[in-house]
Amino acid sequence: MLERDDLAYAAGVAFGAVILVVSGYADRSPDIVMRNDFAGFWAGSRTILDGATPYDAAALSATTTRYGTQHLTVYGYPGWIALALIPFALLPVQVGSAIWTFGGIVAAVLAVRLLLRATCPGVPAIQTLAGVTLLASQPGRLTVLLGQWGFVLLAATAAAVAWLSAGRAARAGGSASLFIAKPQLLVATAFGLTVAATARGHARRFLLAAVGIAAMATAASLIVVPGWPAAWRATVPGVLLPDPPQTTTTFTLFYGVLGRAGIVVAIGVIAVGALLGLFFRPRSDAWLAMWLALSPVAAVYAWSYDQLLLIVPLVIATGVALRRSRRLAVAATLGWALLLDVGATALAVVAAKRDSESYSAVIPLIAFALVAGLAWPERRFRSPGKPPPARPTGSS
């Protein structure tokens, strides 16, 4: 059974890779590699190696000019990221970029496979569709083109869920510690995982690993780049969070439609999503699916490539549905594959014409609604006489 699943997943990944290459998003030409977002990350870490701080605009500008990388107005990441990526900055940009991109893809492929084994065993169609979507989706393709964090964070999230479900709390916490790369994207995810670990009796090991590693990374960054938090606060929030909002978030979407009242509506939508999440038992997979799906909806700063993280809660919710109906699970997988592969691509075309990605923020909202619909029968406040569906024998 698992061998057939593995083959189905490999076929999906291979087909997704073909789509990625044919679409042109796998472009590794010097013009792309030296100007994409990874080149900006590289420049921040390279500035440290050259004896300066990336939070000094003049020093950062000198680095980007010297090495011909993406020009940055400010270095937008916290100090621990600048420190963590120093090994890549020891290499030429092209080499570091290749390791970053293909290493991230391999990590994501393996982690999603681990998650599929735990949640959706024995259904090759689900394995194939998930494999295709990993690389063929608009968020996946854009992550490759820009050298963004999507595959690394997807791998960290999928592995954290799979390991927590398997009782390997320390591994799960260690994987979750990577959330500090883009914490604004994963607030609800971190909450959901922490509560789930507590409910399953794994809080101590999970938090020791997650908080311990994050604390050590923070301490190291303060030693290597002293005073960076003050410099970051003085420059970055105003650049990354302008008024009005301009990113691909729920806030931007509703602001564009309703003006300032849209901010209040967005907060209300997020609050409703959190309330719905509380309808589920913390020990359940449905709980994890809901809170992980809420994270992209609640993010205060995100772009369309960050929607790659939606694959994890969608896979978990599909596994929840699979306990009730194989047909429903396959149909749901087809639905979210089309959402990320076709729907997100169509919205990207619209975004290019509008020079704004705000409409693409509907993707996380639709995904959250789908996850909630699939998980709803397992809510804790059901009518009497309706026990929760039993987990199939041998599943995690």
Side-chain angles (χ1 to χ4, degrees):
M1 177 187 295
L2 289 179
E3 182 178 350
R4 187 176 62 168
D5 284 357
D6 290 337
L7 290 173
Y9 181 63
V13 171
F15 185 63
V18 170
I19 294 175
L20 170 66
V21 172
V22 171
S23 68
Y25 281 75
D27 189 346
R28 304 297 301 169
S29 64
D31 186 57
I32 294 294
V33 172
M34 296 299 293
R35 298 291 188 274
N36 69 11
D37 290 351
F38 174 82
F41 311 155
W42 184 96
S45 298
R46 186 69 224 184
T47 302
I48 296 175
L49 290 176
D50 289 348
T53 170
Y55 302 98
D56 178 340
L60 183 62
S61 178
T63 299
T64 60
T65 300
R66 183 181 307 119
Y67 295 101
T69 65
Q70 179 194 63
H71 180 73
L72 300 170
T73 305
V74 296
Y75 183 75
Y77 285 86
W80 50 76
I81 297 304
L83 179 62
L85 296 184
I86 282 179
F88 291 94
L90 291 169
L91 303 169
V93 178
Q94 296 91 335
V95 176
S97 178
I99 295 173
W100 170 260
T101 299
F102 296 113
I105 290 173
V106 170
V109 167
L110 295 176
V112 171
R113 183 72 201 102
L114 190 66
L115 182 64
L116 286 165
R117 284 177 177 170
T119 56
C120 303
V123 189
I126 294 176
Q127 319 293 321
T128 299
L129 288 169
V132 171
T133 303
L134 187 60
L135 294 179
S137 65
Q138 172 65 15
R141 287 182 280 124
L142 195 56
T143 295
V144 172
L145 182 68
L146 298 181
Q148 261 291 337
W149 282 85
F151 292 111
V152 174
L153 293 179
L154 174 63
T157 307
V161 172
W163 281 331
L164 184 62
S165 297
R168 297 174 178 175
R171 289 188 184 184
S175 188
S177 69
L178 291 177
F179 294 175
I180 63 172
K182 284 192 171 186
Q184 79 280 2
L185 292 178
L186 296 154
V187 173
T189 294
F191 171 79
L193 282 167
T194 301
V195 173
T198 302
R200 299 178 190 197
H202 302 314
R204 182 173 174 274
R205 286 182 295 147
F206 178 84
L207 289 173
L208 276 176
V211 177
I213 294 173
M216 287 189 292
T218 302
S221 72
L222 291 172
I223 293 171
V224 176
V225 191
W228 72 260
W232 187 92
R233 286 195 303 270
T235 58
V236 174
V239 174
L240 299 186
L241 298 172
D243 185 9
Q246 297 174 7
T247 55
T248 315
T249 65
T250 305
F251 298 96
T252 309
L253 176 65
F254 284 107
Y255 184 95
V257 176
L258 301 172
R260 289 211 165 270
I263 301 295
V264 178
V265 173
I267 294 172
V269 168
I270 294 166
V272 170
L275 179 62
L276 290 175
L278 295 174
F279 271 64
F280 298 86
R281 291 178 174 82
R283 289 179 59 88
S284 68
D285 289 344
W287 166 276
L288 288 174
M290 291 293 290
W291 288 98
L292 269 63
L294 181 63
S295 257
V297 173
V300 296
Y301 182 81
W303 295 102
S304 62
Y305 46 73
D306 295 314
Q307 294 168 6
L308 187 64
L309 295 175
L310 288 168
I311 290 176
V312 177
L314 288 166
V315 166
I316 299 170
T318 301
V320 171
L322 182 59
R323 300 169 195 165
R324 304 192 303 275
S325 167
R326 182 187 180 102
R327 181 177 298 178
L328 173 62
V330 172
T333 307
L334 179 60
W336 56 257
L338 289 173
L339 175 68
L340 295 176
D341 298 347
V342 180
T345 300
L347 286 170
V349 173
V350 174
K353 293 182 178 180
R354 296 177 62 235
D355 196 26
S356 170
E357 284 192 341
S358 62
Y359 292 167
S360 295
V362 302
I363 297 292
L365 290 169
I366 295 171
F368 181 82
L370 177 58
V371 166
L374 294 173
W376 194 245
E378 294 202 8
R379 65 195 183 280
R380 65 171 114 189
F381 307 114
R382 293 183 304 275
S383 301
K386 294 183 178 179
R391 185 189 290 272
T393 301
S395 64
S396 301

PDB file of all heavy atoms in Angstrom, residues 372-389:
ATOM      1  N   ALA A 372     -12.570  24.151   7.178  1.00  0.00           N
ATOM      2  CA  ALA A 372     -13.630  24.143   8.187  1.00  0.00           C
ATOM      3  C   ALA A 372     -14.755  23.198   7.795  1.00  0.00           C
ATOM      4  O   ALA A 372     -15.299  22.466   8.637  1.00  0.00           O
ATOM      5  CB  ALA A 372     -14.163  25.564   8.380  1.00  0.00           C
ATOM      6  N   GLY A 373     -15.112  23.188   6.506  1.00  0.00           N
ATOM      7  CA  GLY A 373     -16.169  22.294   6.051  1.00  0.00           C
ATOM      8  C   GLY A 373     -15.789  20.827   6.190  1.00  0.00           C
ATOM      9  O   GLY A 373     -16.614  19.992   6.607  1.00  0.00           O
ATOM     10  N   LEU A 374     -14.563  20.503   5.868  1.00  0.00           N
ATOM     11  CA  LEU A 374     -14.111  19.112   5.975  1.00  0.00           C
ATOM     12  C   LEU A 374     -13.997  18.666   7.433  1.00  0.00           C
ATOM     13  O   LEU A 374     -14.260  17.505   7.769  1.00  0.00           O
ATOM     14  CB  LEU A 374     -12.757  18.945   5.284  1.00  0.00           C
ATOM     15  CG  LEU A 374     -12.744  19.142   3.768  1.00  0.00           C
ATOM     16  CD1 LEU A 374     -11.318  19.109   3.237  1.00  0.00           C
ATOM     17  CD2 LEU A 374     -13.583  18.071   3.067  1.00  0.00           C
ATOM     18  N   ALA A 375     -13.589  19.587   8.307  1.00  0.00           N
ATOM     19  CA  ALA A 375     -13.375  19.239   9.712  1.00  0.00           C
ATOM     20  C   ALA A 375     -14.648  19.308  10.551  1.00  0.00           C
ATOM     21  O   ALA A 375     -14.709  18.710  11.630  1.00  0.00           O
ATOM     22  CB  ALA A 375     -12.324  20.181  10.308  1.00  0.00           C
ATOM     23  N   TRP A 376     -15.656  20.006  10.079  1.00  0.00           N
ATOM     24  CA  TRP A 376     -16.825  20.343  10.903  1.00  0.00           C
ATOM     25  C   TRP A 376     -17.490  19.140  11.592  1.00  0.00           C
ATOM     26  O   TRP A 376     -17.875  19.247  12.770  1.00  0.00           O
ATOM     27  CB  TRP A 376     -17.841  21.104  10.067  1.00  0.00           C
ATOM     28  CG  TRP A 376     -18.914  21.773  10.887  1.00  0.00           C
ATOM     29  CD1 TRP A 376     -20.254  21.507  10.903  1.00  0.00           C
ATOM     30  CD2 TRP A 376     -18.709  22.839  11.820  1.00  0.00           C
ATOM     31  NE1 TRP A 376     -20.891  22.335  11.776  1.00  0.00           N
ATOM     32  CE2 TRP A 376     -19.968  23.168  12.362  1.00  0.00           C
ATOM     33  CE3 TRP A 376     -17.583  23.547  12.257  1.00  0.00           C
ATOM     34  CZ2 TRP A 376     -20.139  24.169  13.318  1.00  0.00           C
ATOM     35  CZ3 TRP A 376     -17.746  24.541  13.215  1.00  0.00           C
ATOM     36  CH2 TRP A 376     -19.008  24.838  13.731  1.00  0.00           C
ATOM     37  N   PRO A 377     -17.651  18.013  10.956  1.00  0.00           N
ATOM     38  CA  PRO A 377     -18.272  16.872  11.646  1.00  0.00           C
ATOM     39  C   PRO A 377     -17.516  16.403  12.891  1.00  0.00           C
ATOM     40  O   PRO A 377     -18.073  15.667  13.708  1.00  0.00           O
ATOM     41  CB  PRO A 377     -18.292  15.774  10.571  1.00  0.00           C
ATOM     42  CG  PRO A 377     -18.331  16.514   9.281  1.00  0.00           C
ATOM     43  CD  PRO A 377     -17.451  17.706   9.520  1.00  0.00           C
ATOM     44  N   GLU A 378     -16.255  16.825  13.065  1.00  0.00           N
ATOM     45  CA  GLU A 378     -15.497  16.404  14.233  1.00  0.00           C
ATOM     46  C   GLU A 378     -15.437  17.468  15.326  1.00  0.00           C
ATOM     47  O   GLU A 378     -14.665  17.350  16.279  1.00  0.00           O
ATOM     48  CB  GLU A 378     -14.076  15.997  13.827  1.00  0.00           C
ATOM     49  CG  GLU A 378     -14.044  14.764  12.956  1.00  0.00           C
ATOM     50  CD  GLU A 378     -12.695  14.047  12.986  1.00  0.00           C
ATOM     51  OE1 GLU A 378     -11.842  14.433  13.796  1.00  0.00           O
ATOM     52  OE2 GLU A 378     -12.530  13.111  12.207  1.00  0.00           O
ATOM     53  N   ARG A 379     -16.282  18.506  15.212  1.00  0.00           N
ATOM     54  CA  ARG A 379     -16.301  19.533  16.251  1.00  0.00           C
ATOM     55  C   ARG A 379     -16.744  18.926  17.580  1.00  0.00           C
ATOM     56  O   ARG A 379     -17.463  17.935  17.627  1.00  0.00           O
ATOM     57  CB  ARG A 379     -17.224  20.679  15.835  1.00  0.00           C
ATOM     58  CG  ARG A 379     -18.682  20.279  15.732  1.00  0.00           C
ATOM     59  CD  ARG A 379     -19.484  21.328  14.965  1.00  0.00           C
ATOM     60  NE  ARG A 379     -20.905  20.982  14.925  1.00  0.00           N
ATOM     61  CZ  ARG A 379     -21.446  20.106  14.109  1.00  0.00           C
ATOM     62  NH1 ARG A 379     -20.675  19.453  13.243  1.00  0.00           N
ATOM     63  NH2 ARG A 379     -22.742  19.877  14.136  1.00  0.00           N
ATOM     64  N   ARG A 380     -16.348  19.556  18.644  1.00  0.00           N
ATOM     65  CA  ARG A 380     -16.652  19.001  19.965  1.00  0.00           C
ATOM     66  C   ARG A 380     -18.085  19.276  20.405  1.00  0.00           C
ATOM     67  O   ARG A 380     -18.606  18.599  21.285  1.00  0.00           O
ATOM     68  CB  ARG A 380     -15.669  19.541  20.999  1.00  0.00           C
ATOM     69  CG  ARG A 380     -15.733  21.025  21.256  1.00  0.00           C
ATOM     70  CD  ARG A 380     -14.855  21.372  22.463  1.00  0.00           C
ATOM     71  NE  ARG A 380     -13.717  22.202  22.076  1.00  0.00           N
ATOM     72  CZ  ARG A 380     -12.724  22.500  22.897  1.00  0.00           C
ATOM     73  NH1 ARG A 380     -12.722  22.044  24.116  1.00  0.00           N
ATOM     74  NH2 ARG A 380     -11.724  23.246  22.495  1.00  0.00           N
ATOM     75  N   PHE A 381     -18.748  20.273  19.822  1.00  0.00           N
ATOM     76  CA  PHE A 381     -20.115  20.614  20.212  1.00  0.00           C
ATOM     77  C   PHE A 381     -21.079  20.101  19.145  1.00  0.00           C
ATOM     78  O   PHE A 381     -21.600  20.861  18.334  1.00  0.00           O
ATOM     79  CB  PHE A 381     -20.267  22.128  20.382  1.00  0.00           C
ATOM     80  CG  PHE A 381     -19.251  22.712  21.308  1.00  0.00           C
ATOM     81  CD1 PHE A 381     -18.285  23.589  20.844  1.00  0.00           C
ATOM     82  CD2 PHE A 381     -19.255  22.374  22.652  1.00  0.00           C
ATOM     83  CE1 PHE A 381     -17.348  24.133  21.699  1.00  0.00           C
ATOM     84  CE2 PHE A 381     -18.311  22.924  23.518  1.00  0.00           C
ATOM     85  CZ  PHE A 381     -17.361  23.804  23.037  1.00  0.00           C
ATOM     86  N   ARG A 382     -21.277  18.789  19.145  1.00  0.00           N
ATOM     87  CA  ARG A 382     -22.183  18.176  18.173  1.00  0.00           C
ATOM     88  C   ARG A 382     -23.484  17.799  18.851  1.00  0.00           C
ATOM     89  O   ARG A 382     -23.585  17.771  20.079  1.00  0.00           O
ATOM     90  CB  ARG A 382     -21.548  16.905  17.580  1.00  0.00           C
ATOM     91  CG  ARG A 382     -20.345  17.143  16.728  1.00  0.00           C
ATOM     92  CD  ARG A 382     -19.848  15.827  16.147  1.00  0.00           C
ATOM     93  NE  ARG A 382     -19.578  14.868  17.216  1.00  0.00           N
ATOM     94  CZ  ARG A 382     -18.449  14.796  17.887  1.00  0.00           C
ATOM     95  NH1 ARG A 382     -17.472  15.637  17.601  1.00  0.00           N
ATOM     96  NH2 ARG A 382     -18.276  13.907  18.842  1.00  0.00           N
ATOM     97  N   SER A 383     -24.465  17.470  18.027  1.00  0.00           N
ATOM     98  CA  SER A 383     -25.724  17.002  18.575  1.00  0.00           C
ATOM     99  C   SER A 383     -25.515  15.673  19.291  1.00  0.00           C
ATOM    100  O   SER A 383     -24.671  14.867  18.889  1.00  0.00           O
ATOM    101  CB  SER A 383     -26.759  16.811  17.451  1.00  0.00           C
ATOM    102  OG  SER A 383     -26.962  18.025  16.771  1.00  0.00           O
ATOM    103  N   PRO A 384     -26.277  15.388  20.371  1.00  0.00           N
ATOM    104  CA  PRO A 384     -26.124  14.118  21.091  1.00  0.00           C
ATOM    105  C   PRO A 384     -26.339  12.926  20.173  1.00  0.00           C
ATOM    106  O   PRO A 384     -27.115  12.985  19.219  1.00  0.00           O
ATOM    107  CB  PRO A 384     -27.225  14.197  22.163  1.00  0.00           C
ATOM    108  CG  PRO A 384     -27.504  15.660  22.323  1.00  0.00           C
ATOM    109  CD  PRO A 384     -27.302  16.255  20.976  1.00  0.00           C
ATOM    110  N   GLY A 385     -25.628  11.868  20.486  1.00  0.00           N
ATOM    111  CA  GLY A 385     -25.840  10.620  19.728  1.00  0.00           C
ATOM    112  C   GLY A 385     -25.012  10.528  18.481  1.00  0.00           C
ATOM    113  O   GLY A 385     -25.197   9.618  17.687  1.00  0.00           O
ATOM    114  N   LYS A 386     -24.073  11.498  18.275  1.00  0.00           N
ATOM    115  CA  LYS A 386     -23.227  11.453  17.079  1.00  0.00           C
ATOM    116  C   LYS A 386     -21.765  11.419  17.501  1.00  0.00           C
ATOM    117  O   LYS A 386     -21.096  12.458  17.615  1.00  0.00           O
ATOM    118  CB  LYS A 386     -23.475  12.671  16.178  1.00  0.00           C
ATOM    119  CG  LYS A 386     -24.871  12.693  15.585  1.00  0.00           C
ATOM    120  CD  LYS A 386     -25.039  13.878  14.653  1.00  0.00           C
ATOM    121  CE  LYS A 386     -26.419  13.894  14.016  1.00  0.00           C
ATOM    122  NZ  LYS A 386     -26.581  15.066  13.122  1.00  0.00           N
ATOM    123  N   PRO A 387     -21.230  10.239  17.785  1.00  0.00           N
ATOM    124  CA  PRO A 387     -19.837  10.139  18.211  1.00  0.00           C
ATOM    125  C   PRO A 387     -18.899  10.534  17.080  1.00  0.00           C
ATOM    126  O   PRO A 387     -19.265  10.457  15.905  1.00  0.00           O
ATOM    127  CB  PRO A 387     -19.673   8.664  18.562  1.00  0.00           C
ATOM    128  CG  PRO A 387     -20.708   7.973  17.735  1.00  0.00           C
ATOM    129  CD  PRO A 387     -21.868   8.921  17.659  1.00  0.00           C
ATOM    130  N   PRO A 388     -17.695  10.965  17.416  1.00  0.00           N
ATOM    131  CA  PRO A 388     -16.741  11.345  16.363  1.00  0.00           C
ATOM    132  C   PRO A 388     -16.344  10.143  15.542  1.00  0.00           C
ATOM    133  O   PRO A 388     -16.324   9.018  16.046  1.00  0.00           O
ATOM    134  CB  PRO A 388     -15.542  11.886  17.156  1.00  0.00           C
ATOM    135  CG  PRO A 388     -15.667  11.257  18.498  1.00  0.00           C
ATOM    136  CD  PRO A 388     -17.126  11.088  18.756  1.00  0.00           C
ATOM    137  N   PRO A 389     -16.053  10.333  14.270  1.00  0.00           N
ATOM    138  CA  PRO A 389     -15.635   9.226  13.425  1.00  0.00           C
ATOM    139  C   PRO A 389     -14.384   8.563  14.003  1.00  0.00           C
ATOM    140  O   PRO A 389     -13.494   9.212  14.509  1.00  0.00           O
ATOM    141  CB  PRO A 389     -15.334   9.898  12.081  1.00  0.00           C
ATOM    142  CG  PRO A 389     -16.059  11.197  12.117  1.00  0.00           C
ATOM    143  CD  PRO A 389     -16.084  11.609  13.565  1.00  0.00           C
TER     144      PRO A 389
END
